[in-house]
Amino acid sequence: LDRLARSQLHLLQIVEEVEAKGAKLVSVMDNIDTSTATGKMVVGVLAVLAEFERNLLLERSAAGRAIARQRQIRFGRPPKITEALIRQVMLAHDDPNTTVPETCRVLGISKSSYYAALRAGQRSAMEAVEAAA
């Protein structure tokens, strides 16, 4: 039942909707029948416990992310656009005999990654010029 809804209120709303349509909610694995007083009580208790467990999980996750941020741990995939890739794309771009598709094939990147690296290289070059001025 904890997979059926994300909160106690939502689960109880689902049970009400099912009963309003003349049906009853039965959990065969848990042996719970919402057409009985005991079944409704058990669903309510399980819903409270499931919501409590979910809230604990969210709190622990947030605390873990905060600790990781304090330790400067990066989340997600490592960036595709590295300094080495930017240099290679810039060199290939400056070579009039090299095409974009050929560079992408050799470097194993997509065209969007090529152009993202090219923009990053051009930004770096502009920042270097501005810093020197």
Side-chain angles (χ1 to χ4, degrees):
L1 289 174
D2 63 337
R3 301 287 182 239
L4 183 58
R6 293 196 174 254
S7 70
Q8 175 188 7
L9 179 62
H10 188 221
L11 180 59
L12 297 176
Q13 287 173 339
I14 291 171
V15 171
E16 280 185 20
E17 285 179 34
V18 168
E19 289 176 349
K21 294 185 181 191
K24 61 182 180 178
L25 183 66
V26 177
S27 174
V28 178
M29 289 184 66
D30 302 319
N31 198 22
I32 299 171
D33 182 352
T34 60
S35 66
T36 67
T38 304
K40 286 182 183 179
M41 187 262 318
V42 170
V43 165
V45 170
L46 290 177
V48 168
L49 292 174
E51 186 172 353
F52 173 71
E53 185 178 339
R54 182 171 184 275
N55 289 335
L56 278 179
L57 177 71
L58 292 173
E59 288 175 9
R60 288 181 187 138
S61 295
R65 285 190 305 272
I67 290 169
R69 273 193 294 277
Q70 286 175 350
R71 294 179 182 168
Q72 297 180 342
I73 295 173
R74 291 185 51 117
F75 292 97
R77 292 182 180 174
K80 276 186 174 181
I81 311 301
T82 62
E83 291 298 323
L85 180 67
I86 291 170
R87 281 192 301 274
Q88 289 174 320
V89 167
M90 295 297 288
L91 287 171
H93 182 71
D94 291 341
D95 182 358
N97 297 324
T98 306
T99 65
V100 172
E102 180 184 1
T103 302
C104 291
R105 184 183 51 75
V106 169
L107 296 177
I109 60 172
S110 65
K111 282 185 182 179
S112 60
S113 293
Y114 174 92
Y115 287 111
L118 184 61
R119 282 190 303 273
Q122 290 169 341
R123 272 194 308 270
S124 295
M126 287 175 51
E127 289 169 1
V129 168
E130 290 173 2

